[in-house]
Amino acid sequence: MNRLRFTLIACILIVSTHAQEKLAERDYQRAESFLGYSTQKYIDRNFTTPNWISGDRFWYRTLTPQGSEFVLIDPVKKTKTLAFDAQKLAAALSSATGRTINATSLPFQSFSFSDDNKSVSFLANGQFWKANLQNYRLEKAEASNNGVRSGRKPLEVTSPDGTKAAFIRDWNLWVRDTKTGKETQLTKDGIKDFGYATDNAGWTHSDAPVLRWSPDSKKIATFKQDQRQVGEMYLVTTNVGHPKLEQWKYPLPGDEHIPMIARVIIEVDNPKVITLNVAPDPHRATLSDDISSSGTLDDVDWSEDGAWLAFVSTSRDHKNEKFRIANAITGEVREVFEETVATQYESGWGTINWKFLPKTNEIIWFSERDNWGHLYLYDAATGKLKNQITKGEFVVSEMLKVDEQTRSIYFYAFGLQKENPYFRSLYKIGFDGKGMTLLTPGDGFHQVQFSPSGKYIIDTWSRPDVPPVTVVRDMTGKQLQEVERTDVSRLKAAGWKPPTPITVKAYDGVTDIYGLLYTPTNLDPSKKYPIIDYIYPGPQGGSMGGQWGFIASRGDHQALAELGFCVLVLEGTSNPLRSKSFHDMYYPDMSQNTLPDQITGIRQLAKRFSYIDTTRIGIWGHSGGGFATAAAMFRYPDFFKVGISESGNHDNRNYEDDWGERYIGLLKKNPDGTDNYTTQANQLYAKNLKGKLLLAHGLMDDNVPPYNTWLVVEALQKAGKDYDLIVFPNARHGYGEHTYYMMRRRWDYFVKNLLGAEPPKEYQLQAQVDPRNAMPTF
């Protein structure tokens, strides 16, 4: 009896000791040292953005252990030199300001060459300076047209020749002369919710104009958007005194009325509105769930002389695309061809992969009709297919350059590297489908930029575990010179290690899926570690976000690992950049999107790596990942034990119409009063919760309205389930200034509930700027 009592007491003490295990502040400091702002300072010789000057030369700023350098590349001469004598410039600045300026920490990050390349101009400490590169004499300068500062104002779109800037005022479109400031009203019949070039419906909440200037800067292609009967969304600020109501048009799936756009062409010099002779289109585009990319109207393409405008009309459910060509003078529209798909059509990823070629009266069109994303050549006069341009088991993701003179196309392709189908390369091919040529050899993820003349290619390539290398190539792909080779030796010396690339089988047991596994840098293979699954199900993106190159710190994955976890980022099925059938695996059911893949993937990894503990599995994600996290906790409660669901679109009947109607389909009512969206709503399954769930949302989230999370909260309360909640009263979708607070709370939640330890109380993450980017003041 006494022996039994002693054994019970010993067991209780062991459990109690484990429960009271406490992580010290130094443990969190160690984790923080693996965040981006901590690791960046140890990365040297990284290539940044090329700044082009005459003769296809370019300069860029790179960071070194001592500070920074400005480097000049001449691909014609194959030379690499310093852009200027930093020692002499620093001495001149020191003399002019009376402050000591170091050559490796000059007080600017950007500058511009004069037209004759004999001087440079820059902004330092609020003052513009001009430096003579022959004698390094300095003079104070005014902001001018030397490129130091742009005259563009916010909420404007500048014409190609830079002389005009279009903007919206009182629901009408105006232009401003960028030299004189004179403003001209282009339209006069715009009224509230029925105005020109507006893009303030749904999750896009902006007063910037959406339009496309003609190449000659004389016309504007845009639309008059009718949203007068569209339903509204409401958010309320948190403050002392009367709260402010934020109210705007926000259509939902199944709504009778959504924003409709009547396409117009506007002549600028002598203002005139030409309404195209075609019925209004839904507020839709082929590329994404909006009609613009950075203020530029998508799915339109001008002829060089501005006489013709090609455009694509997308149906509300994204299943039908109509290619049309409009006479820019009369507004008459000709139907060329159309394509209808069973699920949803998209024209590419990153850029729209179709182009109108008026000189030869042809169209390059993108389609997944043979199960892969490829290019096709059409006759614009007849609408008939001339030939398929690309073909094979790979994806044309972005058509980057079309050379009409040589009838060649330059494009990114995924799926042609055996190691990983998400590695990307640049290829060239003829309009006739012949001569497909690899231009960027080297296994990995390639990012390219063309020189202004089109004679050279800057190619930067890397892998998740291989730092970037940047080279200059000619247009045949031949390497001319190496520009930079990123040095991570100091990063490694600080204790960093890359994640482990992994491949597992999807839920079907056949399809290979890919991801990254993060483990503690002090991993002990004899121990057991909980695993945390970071998830973003897409289907327009994915957990990796299409970024399969080198990133020293992806979010806080490695930081979490340092606290005693394995962290998995797994690109599941039903995400893009693979075949059409791969992308459609879960269509139209978003509730299961990639979750079966995550589960089978974790089980496979646990067999491969004995240190993974499948009795302690966590999951977290933001937005679509927040939806997937709650779905995982409710639908697979015996597998996932701890979840953190941030800003999830838990019921897509409560989320912007275009996303849901694209990836789920149009809302259809069933005889019992339900619909095809009902069974995918997370709140219906909240009663199944067994583990620990933390919900978070910003109360001013104008992307995913917070009511999505309140539906889950209400269901959990009705089911008598415990849950945790973090509310950010005035925050938008990404939490803004509260980002690091949420990150620390995320660490605390997993440490306490998955690791079984006590986190340090109220640890403060201290975001820092790389000291090499700190600007000296004087």
Side-chain angles (χ1 to χ4, degrees):
M1 185 67 178
N2 289 337
R3 181 178 298 175
L4 177 61
R5 182 179 299 158
F6 177 81
T7 302
L8 287 173
I9 293 174
C11 290
I12 291 171
L13 287 173
I14 291 171
V15 172
S16 176
T17 300
H18 177 73
Q20 293 177 2
E21 180 184 345
K22 183 178 178 68
L23 292 189
E25 185 169 305
R26 64 177 178 273
D27 296 314
Y28 269 46
Q29 290 173 342
R30 174 179 171 79
E32 187 178 8
S33 72
F34 288 87
L35 293 177
Y37 58 74
S38 298
T39 58
Q40 185 61 39
K41 61 187 177 184
Y42 297 118
I43 301 174
D44 303 317
R45 307 303 316 185
N46 205 28
F47 179 74
T48 53
T49 303
N51 299 272
W52 297 99
I53 57 178
S54 61
D56 274 338
R57 296 176 303 155
F58 63 91
W59 67 265
Y60 61 94
R61 179 175 180 265
T62 190
L63 299 178
T64 71
Q66 293 74 36
S68 64
E69 289 180 357
F70 293 89
V71 182
L72 180 65
I73 298 291
D74 188 334
V76 178
K77 297 179 180 179
K78 301 182 179 64
T79 58
K80 176 180 178 180
T81 60
L82 294 177
F84 47 76
D85 190 321
Q87 292 283 359
K88 291 182 178 180
L89 185 55
L93 272 171
S94 298
S95 176
T97 63
R99 300 290 296 273
T100 301
I101 305 295
N102 295 319
T104 56
S105 57
L106 293 169
F108 58 89
Q109 295 183 6
S110 181
F111 69 93
S112 63
F113 277 105
S114 60
D115 292 340
D116 59 8
N117 298 316
K118 292 182 179 180
S119 65
V120 294
S121 300
F122 55 88
L123 174 65
N125 202 40
Q127 173 63 53
F128 284 91
W129 298 86
K130 183 177 181 180
N132 185 309
L133 297 184
Q134 277 67 52
N135 54 26
Y136 282 86
R137 289 179 180 171
L138 282 179
E139 61 182 66
K140 293 182 179 180
E142 296 294 328
S144 63
N145 60 356
N146 60 9
V148 173
R149 183 167 62 185
S150 170
R152 180 178 181 270
K153 295 181 179 180
L155 305 180
E156 290 185 343
V157 178
T158 306
S159 61
D161 64 7
T163 64
K164 309 176 191 72
F167 63 95
I168 297 172
R169 178 181 292 159
D170 297 329
W171 302 92
N172 282 293
L173 196 63
W174 294 62
V175 291
R176 178 179 62 86
D177 187 303
T178 57
K179 293 182 179 179
T180 67
K182 179 184 177 182
E183 297 178 347
T184 302
Q185 186 170 356
L186 299 179
T187 69
K188 297 184 178 180
D189 60 334
I191 59 174
K192 186 178 187 300
D193 295 324
F194 192 26
Y196 289 90
T198 61
D199 193 25
N200 52 358
W203 68 269
T204 300
H205 197 185
S206 171
D207 291 324
V210 177
L211 52 86
R212 183 76 66 91
W213 282 93
S214 62
D216 61 7
S217 301
K218 294 183 177 180
K219 298 184 182 74
I220 290 174
T222 186
F223 51 82
K224 189 178 183 184
Q225 179 166 268
D226 188 356
Q227 53 187 27
R228 289 171 292 182
Q229 299 185 68
V230 175
E232 295 180 325
M233 183 58 63
Y234 308 94
L235 297 175
V236 178
T237 60
T238 301
N239 52 264
V240 176
H242 296 287
K244 178 183 177 182
L245 174 67
E246 194 168 288
Q247 175 181 350
W248 77 104
K249 298 295 183 178
Y250 194 104
L252 298 173
D255 280 359
E256 180 181 357
H257 300 287
I258 66 170
M260 300 294 289
I261 57 173
R263 298 181 183 270
V264 300
I265 291 173
I266 302 174
E267 295 181 358
V268 177
D269 293 339
N270 296 299
K272 178 182 178 182
V273 178
I274 302 166
T275 301
L276 300 192
N277 187 22
V278 67
D281 286 327
H283 181 106
R284 299 286 188 265
T286 63
L287 188 65
S288 65
D289 49 339
D290 191 38
I291 55 174
S292 68
S293 300
S294 302
T296 300
L297 178 60
D298 285 341
D299 286 319
V300 299
D301 198 10
W302 282 100
S303 63
E304 193 66 29
D305 61 3
W308 302 95
L309 180 74
F311 64 97
V312 174
S313 297
T314 299
S315 64
R316 179 169 176 171
D317 59 4
H318 288 269
K319 289 180 169 60
N320 178 262
E321 307 294 343
K322 289 183 171 67
F323 195 98
R324 294 162 162 166
I325 298 176
N327 184 311
I329 299 174
T330 67
E332 289 301 311
V333 175
R334 179 168 59 87
E335 304 282 344
V336 182
F337 65 84
E338 64 181 301
E339 178 165 340
T340 301
V341 298
T343 54
Q344 58 94 20
Y345 173 89
E346 55 195 334
S347 59
W349 299 273
T351 59
I352 287 174
N353 287 328
W354 68 260
K355 186 170 179 60
F356 176 43
L357 307 171
K359 292 180 182 178
T360 55
N361 215 14
E362 293 174 307
I363 299 160
I364 298 173
W365 181 248
F366 178 87
S367 175
E368 295 176 286
R369 65 189 62 171
D370 71 354
N371 195 38
W372 297 90
H374 284 304
L375 303 177
Y376 296 78
L377 187 65
Y378 275 83
D379 186 316
T382 65
K384 301 296 184 182
L385 175 66
K386 297 180 73 172
N387 60 269
Q388 183 171 350
I389 300 173
T390 59
K391 190 174 185 179
E393 294 187 355
F394 65 92
V395 174
V396 176
S397 64
E398 295 181 60
M399 185 168 60
L400 300 179
K401 176 181 172 66
V402 176
D403 188 330
E404 295 184 62
Q405 185 174 353
T406 63
R407 295 181 66 80
S408 301
I409 302 170
Y410 298 81
F411 62 92
Y412 281 138
F414 284 87
L416 288 169
Q417 296 186 41
K418 293 182 180 180
E419 181 180 341
N420 187 324
Y422 295 105
F423 285 164
R424 183 177 72 179
S425 302
L426 177 70
Y427 281 83
K428 172 186 175 182
I429 197 170
F431 285 11
D432 57 4
K434 297 179 181 178
M436 182 166 157
T437 306
L438 172 65
L439 300 180
T440 54
D443 292 341
F445 188 87
H446 290 260
Q447 178 75 38
V448 305
Q449 298 180 65
F450 296 97
S451 68
S453 70
K455 294 179 180 179
Y456 302 99
I457 302 168
I458 301 177
D459 172 25
T460 300
W461 72 273
S462 64
R463 296 198 295 262
D465 53 347
V466 177
V469 176
T470 300
V471 301
V472 174
R473 302 182 185 277
D474 64 19
M475 297 304 284
T476 70
K478 179 183 177 182
Q479 181 174 323
L480 301 178
Q481 67 182 120
E482 183 173 298
V483 175
E484 287 291 355
R485 186 175 292 267
T486 300
D487 183 359
V488 295
S489 57
R490 292 197 302 128
L491 183 64
K492 290 182 178 179
W496 175 90
K497 71 171 186 179
T500 302
I502 55 100
T503 305
V504 294
K505 295 295 182 183
Y507 75 99
D508 61 3
V510 177
T511 307
D512 287 331
I513 53 177
Y514 301 79
L516 298 175
L517 181 65
Y518 294 80
T519 57
T521 53
N522 57 358
L523 176 75
D524 182 350
S526 66
K527 292 184 177 179
K528 287 285 189 179
Y529 294 85
I531 186 168
I532 297 171
D533 185 12
Y534 168 75
I535 187 169
Y536 186 83
Q540 78 284 356
S543 297
M544 290 289 293
Q547 298 300 313
W548 288 84
F550 180 87
I551 301 176
S553 298
R554 293 175 187 263
D556 63 345
H557 301 325
Q558 188 62 46
L560 263 176
E562 293 305 310
L563 294 175
F565 304 97
C566 295
V567 177
L568 174 64
V569 182
L570 184 61
E571 196 81 326
T573 57
S574 204
N575 285 331
L577 303 176
R578 303 279 292 270
S579 67
K580 177 65 172 170
S581 56
F582 182 95
H583 197 187
D584 288 343
M585 276 190 176
Y586 288 105
Y587 182 95
D589 185 2
M590 293 298 102
S591 64
Q592 292 288 332
N593 196 357
T594 85
L595 288 177
D597 299 321
Q598 308 297 319
I599 292 171
T600 187
I602 290 172
R603 285 172 173 161
Q604 292 171 61
L605 291 175
K607 292 180 180 179
R608 193 179 307 172
F609 304 111
S610 60
Y611 50 79
I612 293 178
D613 184 356
T614 55
T615 67
R616 292 182 292 168
I617 300 174
I619 185 170
W620 84 274
H622 187 92
S623 194
F627 165 81
T629 294
M633 296 298 294
F634 300 158
R635 294 172 182 267
Y636 302 96
D638 295 317
F639 188 82
F640 295 101
K641 303 301 173 61
V642 180
I644 301 176
S645 170
E646 301 178 9
S647 304
N649 52 314
H650 298 288
D651 188 331
N652 284 303
R653 293 171 298 184
N654 265 33
Y655 185 46
E656 189 257 347
D657 66 321
D658 196 11
W659 189 90
E661 293 182 346
R662 178 171 200 153
Y663 297 111
I664 300 173
L666 298 180
L667 187 145
K668 299 177 182 178
K669 292 287 186 179
N670 299 320
D672 62 359
T674 62
D675 54 62
N676 53 320
Y677 281 60
T678 301
T679 58
Q680 302 183 40
N682 274 340
Q683 68 269 18
L684 300 185
Y685 306 92
K687 61 181 179 295
N688 299 330
L689 178 66
K690 293 183 179 180
K692 298 287 293 185
L693 175 63
L694 171 61
L695 299 162
H697 219 117
L699 294 188
M700 296 301 290
D701 190 336
D702 54 357
N703 181 341
V704 179
Y707 315 112
N708 281 268
T709 290
W710 305 157
L711 289 170
V712 174
V713 165
E714 182 181 47
L716 288 167
Q717 292 172 347
K718 288 181 177 179
K721 296 291 182 178
D722 291 343
Y723 64 93
D724 294 292
L725 176 67
I726 297 175
V727 170
F728 297 101
N730 292 302
R732 299 291 187 182
H733 193 54
Y735 306 154
E737 62 180 318
H738 308 294
T739 299
Y740 289 114
Y741 176 82
M742 184 67 228
M743 183 181 291
R744 192 266 294 174
R745 292 293 302 272
R746 184 161 61 242
W747 295 4
D748 289 354
Y749 204 74
F750 282 129
V751 164
K752 189 170 185 177
N753 297 295
L754 199 60
L755 195 62
E758 187 66 25
K761 183 174 177 57
E762 296 178 352
Y763 180 83
Q764 297 292 314
L765 292 168
Q766 302 293 330
Q768 302 171 0
V769 175
D770 187 335
R772 298 172 296 181
N773 286 325
M775 289 292 98
T777 58
F778 48 85

